[in-house]
């Protein structure tokens, strides 16, 4: 076999393994939930049924010819298989999300996904503790929904700058989760206070696992608590990414796996990783 044929075959195998799904959805609604975050619902047949909590879509926020060139990754906030709808909750921040914020009902949206490895819930667990910072709650929301459907007890700590930035408290309470909002404004989100609260919840509630997203500081604290208490944990990691399908390696980070430093792609091996594997300088 010639070298060129071998290369072509390797590319074909890689393409089959990736199974990328690109679709053009239709925006159903795109509404402000407060002065910084928007909630977008997109109708796109067949994708809500196969999306898992913790997975994400890579969204083309502008127009391909006008940029921005790079798609922006957004977690699945809710999936509604009966209506063929995927929901996103996003912080309107820079060029990409500002363009996304301009979409109106009826507009098309080009999306690729669902991508990455989502959260796993062990059927032996009875109680889980979820700690979200800011818009990290969007990534954790479908996990809470699935855990509650499986009748697990769920404690949710929602941390944000101000009470106005606390999202999802009512929604999680309606699912039957125990919700603990904490804010920078009143000092209740301070790391030491939060650590005591986490440890108290772990002690009282017989927590089986910890989940987090949205803050490196919180992740580090939870990783240390998880290691000290011998608890499993998972974190959804955020990293700038270009292709989102593992080819460009742009989102590679160092993780600590089996006692060794390993380079893993957030888009492909993640974005959800075991808590004990995260490494911060
Ligand atoms: C797996 C995953 C899930 C996420 N889920 C959510 C969510 O549910 N809700 C939410 O609000 N946020 C989420 N984020 C964060 C979100 O993707 C960023 O806030 C968003 O990409 C910001 O884009 P922007 O252009 O508005 O911001 P900007 O802050 O303006 O971008 C800053 C700079 O970074 C560069 N940049 C931006 N994106 C990329 C990229 N992908 N690769 C390389 N450079 C880049 C831009 O060119 C710009 O110069 C998620 C991130 C990841 C990795």
């Amino acid at each position: 076999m010639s070298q060129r044929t071998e290369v072509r075959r390797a590319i074909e195998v890689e393409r089959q393994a990736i199974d990328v799904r690109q679709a053009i959805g239709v925006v159903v609604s795109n509404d402000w939930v407060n002065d910084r975050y928007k909630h977008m619902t997109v109708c796109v047949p067949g994708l809500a049924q196969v999306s898992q909590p913790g997975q994400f879509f890579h969204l083309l926020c502008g127009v391909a010819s006008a940029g921005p060139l790079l798609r922006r990754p957004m977690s699945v906030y809710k999936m509604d298989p009966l209506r063929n709808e995927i929901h996103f909750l996003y912080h309107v921040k820079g060029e990409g999300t500002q363009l996304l914020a301009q979409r109106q009902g009826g507009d098309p949206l080009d999306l690729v996904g669902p991508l990455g490895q989502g959260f796993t819930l062990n059927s032996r667990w009875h109680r889980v503790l979820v700690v979200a910072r800011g818009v990290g709650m969007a990534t954790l929301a479908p996990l809470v929904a699935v855990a509650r459907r499986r009748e697990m007890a769920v404690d949710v700590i929602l941390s944000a700058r101000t009470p106005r930035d606390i999202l999802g408290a009512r929604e999680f309470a309606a699912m039957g989760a125990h919700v603990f909002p904490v804010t920078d404004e009143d000092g209740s989100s301070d790391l030491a206070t939060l650590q005591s609260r986490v440890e108290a919840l772990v002690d009282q509630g017989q927590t089986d696992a910890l989940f987090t997203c949205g803050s490196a500081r919180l992740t580090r604290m939870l990783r240390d608590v998880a290691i000290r208490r011998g608890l499993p944990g998972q974190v959804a990691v955020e990293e700038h990414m270009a292709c989102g399908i593992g080819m460009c390696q742009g989102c590679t980070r160092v993780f600590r796996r089996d006692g060794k430093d390993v380079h893993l792609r957030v888009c492909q091996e993640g974005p959800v990783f075991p808590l004990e594997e995260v490494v911060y300088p």
Side-chain angles (χ1 to χ4, degrees):
M1 196 186 324
S2 78
Q3 209 179 355
R4 190 175 287 181
T5 313
E6 268 182 48
V7 170
R8 207 178 301 127
R9 287 219 173 145
I11 291 170
E12 274 162 19
V13 168
E14 184 81 11
R15 274 202 192 122
Q16 284 160 14
I18 288 171
D19 183 24
V20 181
R21 271 167 273 187
Q22 180 178 11
I24 308 292
V26 176
V27 175
V28 175
S29 58
N30 191 18
D31 301 319
W32 289 100
V33 294
N34 64 15
D35 54 358
R36 298 198 302 140
Y37 299 117
K38 282 196 107 167
H39 176 183
M40 178 186 267
T41 306
V42 183
C43 180
V44 54
L47 294 186
Q49 293 78 354
V50 293
S51 300
Q52 300 296 325
Q55 287 191 303
F56 69 97
F57 281 84
H58 222 16
L59 310 182
L60 192 65
C61 298
V63 181
S65 54
L69 175 68
L70 297 175
R71 290 169 179 266
R72 300 298 194 253
M74 282 302 155
S75 300
V76 177
Y77 167 51
K78 280 183 199 162
M79 42 276 197
D80 186 338
L82 291 178
R83 292 171 180 260
N84 277 318
E85 287 174 355
I86 304 272
H87 295 238
F88 301 102
L89 183 74
Y90 63 100
H91 180 191
V92 181
K93 198 173 164 189
E95 189 189 4
T97 48
Q98 279 168 18
L99 282 165
L100 208 56
Q102 292 171 19
R103 300 288 166 109
Q104 295 178 350
D107 285 349
L109 181 72
D110 179 325
L111 64 180
V112 173
L115 297 171
Q117 314 300 323
F119 294 106
T120 44
L121 276 171
N122 188 317
S123 56
R124 289 193 305 264
W125 294 340
H126 298 292
R127 185 169 207 116
V128 295
L129 171 57
V130 172
V131 183
R133 171 75 184 178
V135 78
M137 71 70 71
T139 306
L140 294 159
L143 171 79
V144 174
V146 171
R148 288 300 303 139
R149 279 206 294 277
R150 294 191 194 168
E151 297 184 354
M152 287 180 193
V154 184
D155 296 310
V156 183
I157 296 179
L158 293 173
S159 170
R161 293 198 310 200
T162 70
R164 282 185 315 285
D165 294 316
I166 297 276
L167 300 173
R170 239 183 270 152
E171 174 187 339
F172 289 140
M175 290 176 194
H178 305 98
V179 185
F180 305 90
V182 296
T183 65
D184 302 352
E185 203 170 87
D186 67 8
S188 53
S189 65
D190 159 76
L191 199 59
T193 315
L194 213 52
Q195 178 166 340
S196 314
R197 178 162 255 183
V198 166
E199 295 193 305
L201 281 169
V202 167
D203 289 339
Q204 289 161 20
Q206 297 160 336
T207 302
D208 292 305
L210 306 175
F211 294 87
T212 192
C213 180
S215 156
R217 232 167 40 106
L218 281 184
T219 303
R220 201 182 297 128
M221 181 269 281
L222 290 165
R223 176 198 61 190
D224 296 346
V225 170
I227 291 172
R228 264 202 314 278
R229 302 295 181 110
L231 285 174
Q234 293 163 38
V235 53
V237 172
E238 288 191 7
E239 192 59 72
H240 280 327
M241 49 184 67
C243 77
I245 53 169
M247 302 290 274
C248 74
Q249 327 259 329
C251 59
T252 301
R253 274 176 60 156
V254 174
F255 292 83
R256 191 84 187 147
R257 185 167 280 185
D258 301 327
K260 289 192 208 117
D261 284 347
V262 289
H263 288 85
L264 301 173
R265 297 160 297 181
V266 171
C267 72
Q268 190 76 6
E269 285 80 43
V272 176
F273 291 92
L275 253 184
E276 75 270 13
E277 292 187 355
V278 281
V279 174
Y280 291 104

